[in-house]
Amino acid sequence: MTTYDIRIDRENCVGDGLCREEAPGTFDVDGEGKSVVMNPDGDPAEDILRAAQSCPLNVITLLDTRTGATVCP
């Protein structure tokens, strides 16, 4: 069950890959050098949260799928 609606601001993403390091089952870097969500259920929720928090430019937004509330940033 997906805990987060994961959104990435690809225009401002620099593709440093920190999100992929924290949650490799969820995030990857594509051929354009930008982060993408490969599988929103690919890692435990706490790893996905840590991945979003690790983004140096805060381009990853997590919304709680139950409430719609912004969890990160």
Side-chain angles (χ1 to χ4, degrees):
M1 178 179 183
T2 302
T3 302
Y4 299 120
D5 177 11
I6 305 168
R7 300 179 183 179
I8 299 174
D9 175 0
R10 289 178 46 87
E11 184 175 320
N12 292 306
C13 177
V14 295
D16 66 8
L18 291 175
C19 57
R20 180 177 54 189
E21 289 178 25
E22 295 292 340
T26 301
F27 297 97
D28 202 355
V29 176
D30 67 9
E32 295 178 24
K34 305 287 184 169
S35 293
V36 292
V37 176
M38 300 303 291
N39 178 0
D41 296 317
D43 292 286
E46 51 274 359
D47 292 350
I48 295 170
L49 176 60
R50 189 170 40 255
Q53 291 171 332
S54 74
C55 180
L57 298 177
N58 293 318
V59 300
I60 302 172
T61 301
L62 301 180
L63 302 173
D64 185 304
T65 56
R66 293 176 309 248
T67 66
T70 300
V71 177
C72 184

